[in-house]
Amino acid sequence: LFSDSTNALKPGYTMSEKKIGETLDELIKTARGRIIIAAFSSLIGRIQQIINSASYYGRKVFISGRSMADNISIAQQLQFIKAPPGLIHPINKIGKTKDEDVLILTTGAQGEAMSALTRMSLGDHAQILIKRGDTVVLSSSPIPGNERSIYTVINNIVRLGARVIFNQVMDVHTSGHAQREDLKLMI
């Protein structure tokens, strides 16, 4: 057996996705206005948790970003993501949906220059203008080298009046890389 992990030198266990799901659920439950969640579009389990919470609390899910739309579509076809009919919509269908009924799943958790979240933070997104009362969640950890871009996006969003939640504020992301005790358990 060969195993390796970027977190092999960190003691303890990696936080569970269940804990992250509980935190995101509470945020979705308590957010008063729109909630915008930026996540890795390939993290299908996390996306399913977000969709489940949105459905439970009566929020429609609007998808922004090509990779997010593509990955959700493929995952739905393969039945890895399940959602009630009429829950998930493309972002251009947001129309006059009440803010308290909106959850936007978007790309851009790493501050990529042309990503949907970056465009929102600059006021350049075709459908979404971030405003006071919005809650924006970056459900990710910075990939080394992306820190400056991410904090620029966060600063821009704060200037627009939105509440920003990221991992240094609340547990909204966990590593996919095993820590020392996880590796011992596997071995």
Side-chain angles (χ1 to χ4, degrees), residues 41-144:
S41 65
S42 58
L43 195 44
I44 301 302
R46 173 104 32 96
I47 292 169
Q48 181 67 67
Q49 288 180 317
I50 293 166
I51 288 169
N52 291 348
S53 294
S55 176
Y56 187 81
Y57 296 114
R59 289 184 181 260
K60 295 178 182 176
V61 177
F62 296 92
I63 308 302
S64 183
R66 181 173 297 145
S67 65
M68 186 68 75
D70 290 347
N71 285 345
I72 289 174
S73 176
I74 292 165
Q76 283 183 296
Q77 290 170 24
L78 296 172
Q79 297 185 0
F80 291 134
I81 287 183
K82 296 180 178 153
L87 180 73
I88 299 175
H89 307 275
I91 196 70
N92 63 354
K93 300 293 183 192
I94 198 165
K96 295 183 190 264
T97 308
K98 293 180 188 174
D99 287 356
E100 63 269 15
D101 295 336
V102 170
L103 186 147
I104 299 166
L105 259 173
T106 187
T107 57
Q110 292 300 309
E112 304 91 334
M114 295 306 295
S115 69
L117 186 64
T118 298
R119 287 183 285 122
M120 288 178 206
S121 80
L122 295 170
D124 289 340
H125 194 280
Q127 287 85 22
I128 301 300
L129 292 174
I130 292 176
K131 60 185 179 182
R132 188 167 308 284
D134 289 346
T135 299
V136 180
V137 179
L138 279 77
S139 186
S140 64
S141 294
I143 293 171

Side-chain angles (χ1 to χ4, degrees), residues 137-156:
V137 179
L138 279 77
S139 186
S140 64
S141 294
I143 293 171
N146 291 348
E147 297 91 348
R148 182 179 294 212
S149 299
I150 293 167
Y151 290 116
T152 297
V153 169
I154 290 171
N155 289 338
N156 290 342

Side-chain angles (χ1 to χ4, degrees), residues 4-26:
D4 193 10
S5 173
T6 58
N7 287 340
L9 298 178
K10 290 185 180 178
Y13 294 93
T14 305
M15 188 184 321
S16 73
E17 278 293 330
K18 181 179 181 204
K19 168 69 173 122
I20 302 307
E22 291 167 356
T23 302
L24 291 171
D25 184 80
E26 186 64 22

